[in-house]
Amino acid sequence: MDRMNILPEFIRQKPGLALFAMLAVAVSGFGQTFFVSVFGEEIRASTGLSHTTYGSLYSLATLASAAMLFKWGRLVDIWPLSRAVLLATAILSLGCLLVGLKGGMLLLSVGFFCIRFGGQGLFGHMGMTTAARYFSAHRGKAVALAGSGFPLAEAVLPAGAVFVAAAWGWHAPWLGASMFLAVLMLPLMLYLTREVSAPVQDVPGKENSGSSRSYTREEVLRDKGFYLVLPSIVASPFMVTALLFHQAAIASLQGWSMQVVGTAFTCYAAGHLGALLGTGPLVDRITAGRTLPLAVLPMTGGLAVLSIFQGVWVAYVYLGLMGITHGMTATAGGAVWAERYGLLHLGAVRAMAQSAVVLSTAVSPLLMGLLLDLGLGITFLAAVFAVLTLGCGLLARIAPLPGKQDREG
C-alpha cells in the first residue's frame, strides 16, 4: 500500500489504463521514422531501390496511413478498447514481418503502410485518446504520462535494434518486433484493457469534464475555432520533421560537425521529456486551450536563434528549445480536443487532427528539400519558420470556444 501511495492519484485510480496509454504510445515507435531510419540503407540496398524510389514509397505509405486514420480513427469511440488493440497489433505485427522478410518492392510497400498505420497511426492515437478520455480530472498529467512513451521508445528501440542487427542482420529486429508484439505485448495490453467497454457506454455524467456537450466530427468541421487551433497542433511535428530530416544539410550550412549535432540531440531529448512532464500540471491548472499558444514560444525562440546567430552553441540551444515545444504541444494538444469537444466522439475528432499531423510529416521533408535546393539559406528559412510558428500560436490564442458558436438544437 505504501508503494501505491507514492504514485500520483490518477495512476492509483486506474493503474492499468495509465500503463496501457504509455505502452501504446511507446509501441507506436515501431512505426515511427526514428526506428525505420536506422535500417534505411540496408532496406534500400536489399530491394535495389534508388533513394528517390525508397523515399517515395515511404511518403506514399505515410499519406495512405493518414487517410486511413481519418476514416477509421473513430473505431476507438465505438469499439471496446481491447478490440481496437487486437486490430492495431495485427496490422503493426504484420507490417514488421513484411519489412523483415527481405521481399521486393510490393511487400516493402505493404509493410511500410502497415507499420505507419498500425504504429504511428492507430497505436499512438489509442494511447493519447485513452489518456484524454479516461482521466478527466487529471487529463494534463495523464496525457503527459502517455506522451512519455515517445522519448522512451526513442531511447530504447533504435539502440536495441542496432544491437540485434549487429548480431543477426538487419532483418532480425523486424522479425523480432513482430513476435514481440504478438506474443508479449498483445496479451499484456489485452489484460490491461480487459474491463474497458465501448466508450459510448463509459463516459456519462461526471466523467465528461471536458466540453459541456459532445460534438460530432461533422459539427467540429463546421467550427471555426477548430481551424484556428489546428495549426498549433501541426506546427511542431511539421517543423521538427522538416528540420531534423535535413539536419545534416543544416549542419553543413552552419559549419557544425555531425558529432556536435549528435550531442546536441541530448538537449532535444531532455527538453522533450522535461516539457512533457512539466506541462501536464500546467494544463490541469490553466487548461490546454490556454497552454497551447504558450507551447510555440520556445520553438519560435529556437528558430530565431538559428536565424540570427552563428556558432556551435546554437545547435544546443535551438534543438533544446525545439524539444521543449514538441513536448508542450504533445501534452496540450493531446488534451485540447477533449476540452473543446467532449469525450463521446473524441476518437473521431482526434483522428482528424492526427491525420493532418501525419500528412504534414509526409510533406515537410519534401518541401524543405525543395526550398534548400532553390538556394534559400537556413538563416532565411529559420526566420520565416519562426514567424509562421508564432502566428500559429496567435491563432490558437484567439480561437473561440465552440459553445459560443453552437447552432440551435
Side-chain angles (χ1 to χ4, degrees), residues 220-239:
V220 171
L221 286 172
R222 290 193 290 268
D223 173 37
K224 295 179 181 178
F226 174 75
Y227 301 99
L228 296 177
V229 172
L230 186 60
S232 285
I233 304 292
V234 173
S236 177
F238 178 88
M239 300 294 180

Side-chain angles (χ1 to χ4, degrees), residues 69-218:
L69 184 61
F70 181 88
K71 181 174 178 60
W72 298 108
R74 64 185 298 270
L75 289 179
V76 299
D77 294 331
I78 57 179
W79 279 9
L81 197 51
S82 57
R83 188 187 300 177
V85 166
L86 185 62
L87 175 65
T89 305
I91 294 172
L92 181 56
S93 180
L94 175 62
C96 291
L97 176 64
L98 292 177
V99 173
L101 283 178
K102 298 183 179 180
M105 186 169 68
L106 178 59
L107 281 184
L108 181 63
S109 300
V110 177
F112 274 170
F113 167 74
C114 288
I115 64 171
R116 296 299 271 170
F117 179 47
Q120 184 201 31
L122 287 177
F123 262 118
H125 177 54
M126 275 195 303
M128 298 299 278
T129 302
T130 296
R133 169 172 276 144
Y134 296 104
F135 298 90
S136 295
H138 302 277
R139 183 174 291 124
K141 291 188 270 302
V143 169
L145 177 66
S148 67
F150 286 121
L152 174 64
E154 290 166 355
V156 173
L157 295 186
V162 169
F163 177 80
V164 173
W168 293 287
W170 71 265
H171 65 290
W174 290 101
L175 300 179
S178 182
M179 293 185 61
F180 172 75
L181 289 164
V183 176
L184 294 178
M185 293 308 300
L186 178 59
L188 174 59
M189 289 191 286
L190 288 177
Y191 175 78
L192 294 175
T193 59
R194 67 194 183 282
E195 297 178 356
V196 183
S197 57
V200 168
Q201 303 162 6
D202 257 2
V203 293
K206 293 182 181 179
E207 188 65 20
N208 189 352
S209 64
S211 171
S212 59
R213 56 163 290 203
S214 288
Y215 293 76
T216 66
R217 175 182 283 181
E218 291 72 21

